[in-house]
Amino acid sequence: PHLAALVLARGGSKGIPLKNIKLLAGVPLIGWVLRAATDAGVFHSIWVSTDHDEIEKVAKQFGAKVHRRSPEVSQDSSTSLEAITEFLNHHREVDIVGNIQATSPCLHPSDLIKVADLIQKEGFDSVFSVVRRHQFRWSEVKKGDNKMTEPQNLNPAKRYRRQDWPGELYENGSFYFAKRHLIEKGYLQGGKMAYYEMRAEHSVDIDIDIDWPIAEQRVLSFGYFGKEPLKEVKLLVCSIDGCLTNGRIYVTEDHKEMVSYDYRDIVGIDLLKKRGIQVRLISDRDCSKTLSAMQMGCVAKVNVTNKLQVLKDWQEDMGLSWKEVAYLGNEESDVECLKQAGMSGVPADACAAAQKAAGYICKSRGGCGAVREFAEHIFLLLEKVNSARKQ
């Protein structure tokens, strides 16, 4: 049977505008679940149902097909079931829908593989995700009611210790898998049902975690970053114009060039060096005098016509794998380097081609703290690598 992954991503959001493609840890929110769905390898097709051009563009960048939903199922009052039903009406080849929530960025391929087995091999009609919680519940008392609250799942005279109580299962909203015949009857959960229990650290819901920086920390700690294991970065190559500087060149009356840079970026480079990471600079043009004036003490290559070849030479000379190389670029001349490096980033104002090739898009513009921001991103991922080693 044809198993399709379907991510519902409406353009409207009352809380956070275009939340589905807002950058979370340098990746569009929807990109985290699309990457997990792709790498799971169990779906015959992967779709995003949307009514918005920008979301469609991002979905295609991550390899998904796009179903343009109608205005009738794109309202604030529209339900997921209505959007899924419309999708099935247009795609008769689909037998099973895996509705994956875009707001669950810590979803891992291993979870999706196990759920596909439950519904394809073990004959369940619907499977949904849950998480185990150890929370005591009490009855609600409305204002003005002269009533006492009552315990719902505990005896106050004999409160459980956490280790003595198995807890309760709650839907976490990460995914709902269901067969076509069930959805056509108006159900996402029904028939022969099963739940799939996800690990608590993977149950991150952006609808609840509205503090974006906290959600980013959770994703950096527990998110899925791809099939290849992360390695410690040992070399950062940074494009000078448009990354270290803002790309503007000021020319004096006596034909001398001047550029500006952000001191925060110099601090970021110093911090990288202190962590044992080499920083090298690269440029399409001859800016040797500018580099000399900045006195950063970095190996640099200017007047470069083939940045990828220079990057390969440096990587081979240092005996590094590509996973140990990071690259920060902003122009079309950086695209191949961004694709090759194990970790890649661009400033917020990088060209479209560079943004598409990068794994991380900075909030800062070139010459305005982008290097420092990318350095912080590298440090966070290094923490993830070290944590994995300890485990």
Side-chain angles (χ1 to χ4, degrees), residues 32-321:
W32 290 98
V33 295
L34 290 176
R35 179 160 56 195
T38 299
D39 287 354
V42 296
F43 297 103
H44 297 92
S45 59
I46 298 174
W47 294 84
V48 171
S49 169
T50 187
D51 60 338
H52 198 279
D53 292 342
E54 287 301 311
I55 296 176
E56 176 175 356
K57 186 188 301 182
V58 172
K60 289 179 176 177
Q61 285 178 4
F62 281 86
K65 298 180 180 180
V66 173
H67 169 77
R68 289 296 294 221
R69 63 166 72 182
S70 67
E72 288 75 23
V73 297
S74 300
Q75 309 302 315
D76 288 340
S77 58
S78 299
T79 65
S80 296
L81 183 60
E82 289 171 341
I84 295 169
T85 301
E86 181 192 73
F87 168 79
L88 284 176
N89 288 338
H90 284 82
H91 300 282
R92 304 304 303 179
E93 76 280 5
V94 176
D95 303 299
I96 307 168
V97 172
N99 173 215
I100 301 172
Q101 302 295 321
T103 52
S104 300
C106 282
L107 184 64
H108 283 240
S110 55
D111 296 320
L112 298 173
I113 291 169
K114 292 171 185 174
V115 173
D117 283 345
L118 285 173
I119 205 163
Q120 288 182 312
K121 296 180 181 179
E122 298 189 31
F124 287 98
D125 295 310
S126 59
V127 184
F128 54 93
S129 58
V130 299
V131 63
R132 189 173 299 274
R133 291 179 180 161
H134 295 77
Q135 295 174 319
F136 294 131
R137 290 182 288 108
W138 293 79
S139 62
E140 183 179 355
V141 177
K142 294 182 180 179
K143 264 188 178 179
D145 287 355
N146 189 23
K147 294 180 180 178
M148 292 191 303
T149 184
E150 297 288 340
Q152 297 291 300
N153 63 347
L154 78 151
N155 178 359
K158 190 179 179 181
R159 292 173 65 93
Y160 293 113
R161 296 187 307 163
R162 181 184 177 90
Q163 58 266 41
D164 296 332
W165 182 43
E168 297 179 328
L169 297 178
Y170 291 79
E171 288 186 25
N172 69 353
S174 284
F175 54 76
Y176 298 85
F177 282 56
K179 291 181 177 177
R180 172 185 280 272
H181 71 84
L182 198 64
I183 296 170
E184 289 178 340
K185 291 177 183 177
Y187 298 97
L188 272 178
Q189 295 160 295
K192 185 181 177 182
M193 285 186 289
Y195 64 78
Y196 177 83
E197 184 177 346
M198 288 179 61
R199 291 165 58 179
E201 59 266 32
H202 291 170
S203 297
V204 177
D205 187 346
I206 301 298
D207 284 333
I208 298 170
D209 292 333
I210 57 175
D211 189 342
W212 211 262
I214 293 175
E216 287 188 326
Q217 292 293 326
R218 292 281 301 277
V219 170
L220 287 167
S221 297
F222 306 114
Y224 173 71
F225 285 82
K227 292 180 179 179
E228 294 292 327
L230 291 171
K231 284 193 175 182
E232 190 171 342
V233 171
K234 295 181 180 177
L235 170 66
L236 167 64
V237 177
C238 175
S239 183
I240 297 169
D241 299 309
C243 291
L244 183 59
T245 74
N246 61 12
R248 294 181 179 178
I249 300 172
Y250 304 90
V251 182
T252 64
E253 289 182 354
D254 55 353
H255 306 293
K256 291 182 179 179
E257 292 184 359
M258 293 189 299
V259 297
S260 65
Y261 62 90
D262 194 312
Y263 183 69
R264 290 173 296 176
D265 291 331
I266 305 303
V267 172
I269 290 174
D270 286 340
L271 290 172
L272 287 163
K273 290 179 178 179
K274 288 176 182 177
R275 293 285 292 267
I277 300 170
Q278 278 206 35
V279 179
R280 298 188 177 186
L281 306 174
I282 195 167
S283 177
D284 299 295
R285 67 186 192 91
D286 185 0
C287 52
S288 51
K289 291 182 179 179
T290 300
L291 289 172
S292 177
M294 293 169 78
Q295 295 182 341
M296 287 184 295
C298 296
V299 172
K301 191 87 170 176
V302 299
N303 261 344
V304 174
T305 56
N306 187 337
K307 288 182 176 178
L308 181 59
Q309 187 57 56
V310 173
L311 185 64
K312 285 181 177 178
D313 290 342
W314 282 343
Q315 175 246 342
E316 291 173 2
D317 289 344
M318 293 180 65
L320 304 177
S321 69

Side-chain angles (χ1 to χ4, degrees), residues 23-28 32 35 62 212 216-217 219-220 225 243 326-330 338 341-351 354-364 369-381:
L23 294 180
L24 181 72
V27 176
W32 290 98
R35 179 160 56 195
F62 281 86
W212 211 262
E216 287 188 326
Q217 292 293 326
V219 170
L220 287 167
F225 285 82
C243 291
Y327 191 92
L328 184 66
N330 72 305
L338 291 165
M343 188 182 296
S344 58
V346 294
D349 54 348
C351 74
Q355 289 193 18
K356 184 176 179 179
Y360 182 90
I361 302 175
C362 297
K363 298 181 183 72
S364 306
V371 178
R372 174 63 185 269
E373 182 183 337
F374 192 53
E376 295 289 347
H377 180 62
I378 291 173
F379 297 149
L380 286 169
L381 291 183

Side-chain angles (χ1 to χ4, degrees), residues 331-343:
E331 274 298 342
E332 290 190 10
S333 60
D334 297 306
V335 168
E336 295 305 317
C337 296
L338 291 165
K339 290 179 179 178
Q340 188 70 63
M343 188 182 296

